[in-house]
Each structure stands twice: as structure tokens, then as C-alpha cells.
């Protein structure tokens, strides 16, 4: 693919500065881009590369200052990442998989298949499944009885979708994820743990993306729900009866315990843990590795093991490193105080700290 | 399925209060249950729904108080979760998968198959495997040479069971778990890490349940053992030569390092880490996210990064949040002390804390 | 397999002490070894078993002291773990899988297959793939279009290798790992998260081993790179554009965020988190559960949530447990100070800590 700078500018709703007619043949990161290629400065972290990049042209934020000595053609845009997404689609067009059912796929009774469905080799689909137009089922996928998947969704290799799971349109699920398996529910009696059968459903709404090797449990009795537009990273655990609001972000290796409810636009960093049966308010942001153990009001910013506000955590964390100095200081104060007390004819109230 | 309240009461060994002849047609959570359905109050957290629920009847703990205005028929039971498990089995009966070997499954030489074994599409089984009566092998499962699986076990889609693994009766393994893969063992020499071949076994005893995308390594030379009745949640890591006692609970995303030994009835919360070669005593309970780095005596309750007793962790954690106030207080005390010292004709022993 | 002690000694470059002609028929851990078997003492932790072991002979470190009463034949070696690795290879020879393409494997167009390639049942390979000599593709593996895998690599069951991934020689990837899936990249606009297409590559160099259910993302635009000889444990997450140097060790359940760069010989413990876009210097060692949030100089030793040096973390952690005592001490000092101030005719500067 190739295009003039002015055509690319109109593709990304950007403003051309410099030679509008230069022909661009590719797109690469700022350290790697070469002749004929366009690159981008999305994060100030990479500003130092502006002077050395071999790129032909550069995408900059509308708000960026004049960079001295930067004589290359430029496209200025409101949101460089959004421009990047559009340019990648332009320069790296993806071929749609061949439609049809591969002879070494297995499909059960009464399937309802939309237009241009692709069911690839080694897939195993149960009875009474329903796949919308353009759904792609990659090799080795398992789809249980009664599963419905909306149009233009992609199910990558070796995903397992348990019976009865309902999936919306334009949903992507990456390799190896377990979708709708049994939640962790037991009752202890007579010295052992008895399983509470897990018979609820899992509903995944439109435009959700789920990473690789994720686990999402079906409801125990009611439903587990993943709200529209929510994006889930690799190796995340979502337990039974969790409800996640729309447009939330769940970063890798985070775990959400049973029946927790997250509002819309929540963002959880990596390796976060959320205990069960609590509510995390809309728009809340949680730093990586935090533990959330109680209800969190909307629009909070949380960090640390105890799920305390991020600012307070930072303050305490800085002092944590200085605890040895604190101990020394307290001991010194005590000695000085004892000396004063002796001089004043008073006796210390207690012995030294043990 | 439907039944009178009195029949359900006898099913769960409960005591009927109110109309014994009301016909119950389903079972749902307290917020969702409607006409003809029975629900339950298992946790006081949901007590507020008692007055608003549309359910036809309610299961309550034997010990629950009289709820004013609650005029619906009731079944009182010793353990509502146990009753719930029985009622789910009644209202949501599960169809057993069709017995037989699917024509697109592959089975190696000399298999020993019990009665009513189900081997589904796209499964790949090695030589000399042995499956007990009623074993179900779901689509896409891999079972290596020489594996034995006891009666009435279920192996969900895309589980990989490495050669030689021994699995007991009534074991359930959920989708995508890697059972008996190589442990992480290397020796450093000449500037690189040389693999120590992992040739031990993995023994999984009766009545174990293993979640989705779990990893359990075979022994390096001896055995890894998962004790009878132990329940393992999704995304748990169990390293080579770990021995877990009977009836333990390992919650999601927890990792247990090589050669650690857990006693019976141990319960590890989510995202816990256990270092290698240590012993965790019988009946020990560990809070989510804790790190266990040394031997733990039986019946301990542990929390926090350093694996300290749970009560102590809570005390320190509360103070952690107040460290900034502590710093201010120490500085104030020092100033007051210096003023006194000056007045008393003494000089401070040291300058202010840096 | 069996051999005289002197033959085993020459196999491991060791020094025989005692009966050189005793015949050894097996190798087992020190607690389990019996008549005819050799065992080893690699870690002093197991020294107590030296007096009780039923083994026929023992491998000891060259530096080990004389153990009183130990009359069994001995092989002394520089590195017992290295000797162990060689003896396991001797006593537990592994059969190579049968070469050839199983009739129920699916291979796309234009494959280039080396000598003795084994492609097993239920595998699904795309177009234009290239597999070197002796590559083994286990059942249920997916290999996307254009993937290249170097000689003598093994891809265990249900691994998914996305299109275009490049893999070196003698690489091992264990069951269920997702290799080269999309990174987690979105841009927020108009109230929802838009995907940034992930079109970069993933390069895995020679002699890398990857555990089970690992996730490694392809680059967003540039490359993700796993350096030669690096060993990755189960359930590790490696995000897009991460670059890991040669001979590094990444223990289970660790997560490395996007564009982070690790030097050579880095060792990360289990459940570590590394934030994005930072550099971890060569030879750095990070304790389990640590969080790394900024650049780390070479040869550091790091621990704790804030990624502080390991020694400092230990000092502060000890005091953390004693914070309640500290609080009590500060309050006591304040009371004693107030008494002195009163006596001296001074008034306290502030009320008690709230």
C-alpha cells in the first residue's frame, strides 16, 4: 500500500505541514522507520528520536510545540493513537479467512450459520449453535451446545466456549481462553467439599475483546456479564456472577472474585485482586497489584494492598522505605527524654522499646 | 422439573413452615426469583431482599430469626448451601454425554476403556491409556501415552495430560489446563541454563476438581501429588514435586513453588505465592495476595507480603496508612524536646531527621 | 539402563570414592532411592537424609565435608545439578516421536518440512510454514500462516502460534501457550476504546523454553523479542514489544508490560510485575511478588511493592510488623514529654495524635 501524505492526512483528519505530495509506502516505530515510511510521536517519552529518525514523515499531536530543526513533512492530529490505528488498517490490510466449513471441522445438529461464516480445521461445535454473519471460528476451537455468537466475531484457536454462553457482535476472543467454565463453589460438610453445581449463564455483550488464556466462569445460578465495549487482557480471571460494566479495562493477570460488580469505565491495572460481593464505582482507576477489599465509590483512584486511595498509598510507601530511620529516631528521642527526665527529677514511665 | 414444597424439604432434610403443598417449578437467586420459584438466603448480606423478593418460597438457615412480615412458605435447613447444591441437581438435571468414540477422535494402541466412556471429536489419545467407567473426554483433549483416569472423571476441552499422569475417580479438569508438563528446572553452567530433564510423575487423587487454564507440573524425579478432595481454582500454578494434602482449597491465580508441602484442609486465597521447599501445616488459612516464605505451623491464619499472622498484619496495615501522621508527630516531638533541652541547658544529641 | 559407578563417574566428570564396580540400575531422590539406585545431595537442606537413605551410592558436591559414618560409594562432582541432568538423560532415555504427518493433521499450502519432522493428530498448520529438521508438533497445535520454526524444536499440545511468528532452533513450548497473539492496545475516543491493530512480529531466539499456558504478544508495530537461552515458566504474561535479553529467567505468573526491556541474565521471581517502557539492567535479580516501576541499573537486587533494593525492603518489612509497638511508643513519649513541659512551665505545642 502507498499514498501521498495529503491522502493520509485526510484519512486521519489531520493537518498537513510540508510536502503534501511525498509518497508514503509504510509505517513503522520512530526508531525503526526509514526512507518512504511515516512514523508517529504519540508519547513524549520518545521525543529524543525526533532528531535522529530516518522516517520520511511524522505524525504529531496537534498540541505539540515547534521542534527546532525538524524539517520533515508532518501531519498534525488531535489523537496520534487514533491516527495510528487508522494508518495500520491502511498499511496492513488483513485478509479475511476463507468462508465455509473445513472438512475436518465437526458441527453438531441444527446449526444456524450466517453469511460468510468460517469454521476452520479441527474445530468442534455442538448442537443448536448459532453463528452470525462473518463469524470466524479458528482451528481447534470448542463451542458447546446452544452457544450463540453475534455477527463479525472472531474466536481464535483453542478457545473453549461452554454450552449456553451468549456472545454479542464484533467480539474477539484470543487463543486458549476458557469461556463459561464452572465457578469455584463448594460447601463443606462431613469433612469434605461438596460441589455446588454451576448452572448459570455467561453473557458477553457487543464489542468486547478478551485476551489469551483468560478464564471467565459462568454464573452459579444467575448470570456472569461482561459489559459492552469492555477489553480484557491476557490471563485475567473473572469468577462466577461477576458483572462488569460497559467500556471497562482489565489488564493482564488481574482476578475478580465472585459476585463483584464493576461500574462502567472502570480501569484495573495488572495483577490487581478484587474480593467477592463488592461494588467498584463507575470510572474508578486501580493501580497495578492493588487489592480491593471493600466497596469503592465512583471515580476513585486506588492503589496498594489495602485498596487505599492512590495519593495516600504513595505517601505511606515513601515513608515505608524510611522506617529504619524512624526507629532510630524514636530511640534517640527516648534517650534524650530520659536524660531530661532524670535532670528534672522524674523517672521514665517505662523501659526501652523491646 | 417441579415438586411440592414438602417434597423439596425432604430432599434437603429441611423443615417446612407454611403451605407444604405449594408447587415449586424453579430455583433462582433472591433478586431474580419469581412466581412458582424457590430461592434461598445463604448469606446475611442479601437479607434486605427478603422483603422484596417475588419468590414463591424461601430456604433459610435453621438459626435464622423470625423475619417480620415474611409470610411466604419457608424451608429451614442446617446448611443452606448444601440444600442449594441438592436443589440445583434437582431443577437443573444434566444430560450425560453420549457414550462412544467419535469418528474424528484418535486413540492410540492398546486402550483399556471402561463402560460408557465418551471420547469426543478432535480428541487425541496416546498408546496404553486406561479410562474407567463413565469417563468423559471432551473435544480437543490430549492424553499422552500411559495415562490412567479413574471412573466418572470428566476432562473438559483442550486439556493436555502429559504421558504417564495418574488420575483418580470422580476427578474434573476444566478447559485448557496443562496437567503434568515439565517443571522449571535448570542448572547454570558455561554461561547458560541447562535443562534438568523432568521425568517424575503427577498423581491426582480421587474427587479432585481443577479449574480452567491451571498448570500442574510433573515431578522432576519424584512425584507431584494432589491429595484427595482438593479443589483448585482457575489459573493456579503448581510446580514440580509439590505435595498438597487432602481437602485443601487453592483459589485462583495462586502459585505454589517447587517441593512445597501443604497439609490437609489448607485454604489459600487468591493470588497467594508459596516459596519452594517449605511446609504449610494442616488447616492453615492464608489471605489473598499473601506471600508465604517459611514453614507455617498447623491451623495458622496468615496474611500479608511477609506471611505474618493475619491479626498482626491487620494491625500494621492500619498504621501503614497513617505513616505520614506518624512522621509529623515524631518531628513535632523532636522540636518540643529540643525546646525543653535548651531550657534545661542541654544540647540536642543530633540534628533533625533527614 | 544400568552401569557401574565408574562409568557413571566418567559420564558426569566426577571422582569415584569407594566401590567403583557397584552396578547402578536407577536414580531417585534421597528419601526414595533404594538398593541398586544412586541418589544425590544437591542442597544442604536434605543432608539429614544422608544417614537414612537406602541408596546404593551418592553424588556429592566436590566441596562437601567428610560425613561421619557414610560408608556408601560416592561420586564427587563440581555441580551436582549438572551431574543430575546428565544421569537423568542416561537413566530415563526418551523415545523420539514417530516422524511423519498424521492423517488427521491438517497442513496448508507450500509447507517446507525438514528431515524427521513429526506432525501429530489434530494439529492444524497454515500456509507457507517452515519446520526445521526434527521439529515435533504435538496434537492439537495450531500454527498460523508463514510461521517458521527452527530445527529440533518441540511444540506441545494445544499451543497456538499466530501467523508470522519466527521461532529459533531447540525451542520448547509447553501445552496451551498462546504465542504471538494481539497485544492490549486501545485508544479512547467518543466514549469507547478503539483497537489499535497489532501487526508487529514475535521473534523467539534459539534455546528458549516456554512453560504451559504462557501468553506472549506479538509487537504492536515493531517486534517482541525473547532472547536466546531465556527460560520462561508457566502462566507468564509478556506484552507487546517487550524485549528480553539472552539467558534470562522469568518465573511463574510474572507479568511484563508493553515495551519493557530486560537485559541479559535477568532473573525475575514469581508473581513479579514490571510496568511498561522501562529498562531492567543486565544481571538484575528481582524477588518474588516485587513490582518494578522504574528503570533498574544493572546487577541490582530488588524486592517489594515499590521495587526498592532487596536489603532495604527487608529492613523496612521487619519494622512493618512492629508498627503497633511504634505507635504505642510514640504516644508514651508524647505523654512523658508533656509531663516535663508542664513541670518546666511550657505548654505542649499540639494535642494528642488523632
Amino acid at each position: 500500500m502507498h499514498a501521498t501524505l495529503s491522502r493520509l492526512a485526510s484519512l486521519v483528519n489531520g493537518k498537513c505541514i510540508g510536502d503534501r505530495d511525498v509518497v508514503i509506502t509504510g509505517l513503522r516505530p520512530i526508531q525503526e522507520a526509514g526512507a518512504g515510511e511515516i512514523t508517529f510521536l504519540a508519547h513524549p517519552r520518545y521525543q529524543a528520536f525526533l532528531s535522529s529518525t530516518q522516517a520520511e514523515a511524522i505524525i504529531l499531536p496537534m498540541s505539540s510545540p515547534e521542534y527546532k530543526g525538524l524539517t520533515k513533512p508532518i501531519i498534525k492530529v488531535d489523537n496520534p493513537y487514533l491516527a495510528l490505528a487508522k494508518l495500520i488498517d491502511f498499511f496492513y490490510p488483513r485478509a479475511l479467512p476463507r468462508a465455509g466449513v473445513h472438512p475436518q471441522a465437526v458441527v453438531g445438529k441444527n446449526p444456524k450459520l450466517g453469511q460468510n461464516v468460517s469454521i476452520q480445521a479441527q474445530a468442534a461445535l455442538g448442537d443448536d449453535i448459532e453463528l452470525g454473519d462473518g463469524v470466524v471460528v479458528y482451528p481447534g476451537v470448542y463451542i458447546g451446545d446452544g452457544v450463540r455468537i453475534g455477527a463479525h466475531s472472531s474466536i481464535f484457536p483453542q478457545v473453549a466456549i461452554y454450552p449456553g454462553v451468549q456472545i454479542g457482535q464484533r467480539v474477539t476472543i484470543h487463543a486458549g481462553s476458557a469461556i463459561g467454565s464452572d465457578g469455584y463453589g463448594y460447601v463443606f460438610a462431613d469433612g469434605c467439599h461438596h460441589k455446588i453445581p454451576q448452572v448459570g449463564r455467561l453473557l458477553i455483550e457487543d464489542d468486547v475483546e478478551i485476551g489469551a488464556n483468560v478464564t471467565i466462569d459462568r454464573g452459579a445460578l444467575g448470570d456472569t456479564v461482561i459489559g459492552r465495549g469492555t477489553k480484557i487482557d491476557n490471563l485475567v480471571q473473572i469468577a462466577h456472577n461477576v458483572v462488569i460494566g460497559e467500556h471497562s479495562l482489565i489488564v493482564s493477570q488481574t482476578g475478580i472474585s465472585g459476585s463483584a460488580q464493576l461500574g462502567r469505565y472502570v480501569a484495573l491495572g495488572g495483577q490487581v485482586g478484587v474480593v467477592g460481593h463488592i461494588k467498584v464505582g463507575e470510572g474508578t482507576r486501580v493501580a497495578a497489584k492493588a487489592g480491593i477489599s471493600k466497596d469503592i465509590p465512583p471515580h476513585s483512584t486506588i492503589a496498594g494492598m489495602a485498596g487505599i486511595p492512590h495519593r495516600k498509598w504513595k505517601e505511606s510507601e515513601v515513608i515505608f522505605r524510611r522506617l529504619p530511620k524512624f526507629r532510630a529516631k524514636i530511640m534517640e528521642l527516648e534517650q534524650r527524654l530520659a536524660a531530661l527526665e532524670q535532670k528534672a527529677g522524674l523517672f521514665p514511665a517505662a523501659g526501652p522499646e523491646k
Side-chain angles (χ1 to χ4, degrees), chain A residues 16-33:
Chain A
C16 245
I17 299 170
D19 181 358
R20 312 172 58 85
D21 297 324
V22 60
V23 172
I24 303 297
T25 58
L27 166 70
R28 282 214 286 167
I30 195 161
Q31 311 97 304
E32 301 170 17

Side-chain angles (χ1 to χ4, degrees), chain A residues 90-243:
Chain A
F90 179 81
F91 284 109
Y92 296 83
R94 273 148 297 165
L96 272 181
R98 213 171 305 145
V101 179
H102 191 281
Q104 265 182 253
V106 171
V107 180
K109 285 179 249 167
N110 309 317
K112 283 191 192 164
L113 304 184
Q115 303 280 311
N116 295 314
V117 164
S118 170
I119 300 177
Q120 304 190 5
Q122 320 295 19
L125 284 66
D127 298 337
D128 306 308
I129 56 122
E130 201 176 322
L131 305 184
D133 293 349
V135 165
V136 181
V137 175
Y138 282 89
V141 166
Y142 162 76
I143 298 182
D145 294 347
V147 168
R148 281 191 306 188
I149 302 179
H152 307 295
S153 292
S154 292
I155 313 299
F156 277 85
Q158 294 128 9
V159 168
I161 304 178
Y162 278 59
V165 172
Q166 307 292 303
I167 297 175
Q169 300 190 3
R170 298 171 304 280
V171 167
T172 299
I173 306 179
H174 282 283
S177 287
I179 304 300
S181 61
D182 281 7
Y184 193 72
Y186 304 93
V187 49
F188 189 73
D190 304 322
C192 58
H193 305 285
H194 302 268
K195 183 176 178 79
I196 298 176
Q198 305 288 306
V199 299
R201 294 186 307 169
L202 167 58
L203 313 179
I204 297 175
E205 298 181 357
D206 294 344
D207 299 302
V208 166
E209 183 159 9
I210 296 171
N213 286 343
V214 167
T215 56
I216 306 181
D217 293 337
R218 64 196 311 105
L221 199 53
D223 298 335
T224 303
V225 181
I226 311 297
R228 187 163 57 94
T230 284
K231 312 297 186 186
I232 297 172
D233 201 354
N234 300 335
L235 291 170
V236 164
Q237 148 74 356
I238 296 176
H240 48 191
N241 300 94
V242 166
V243 176

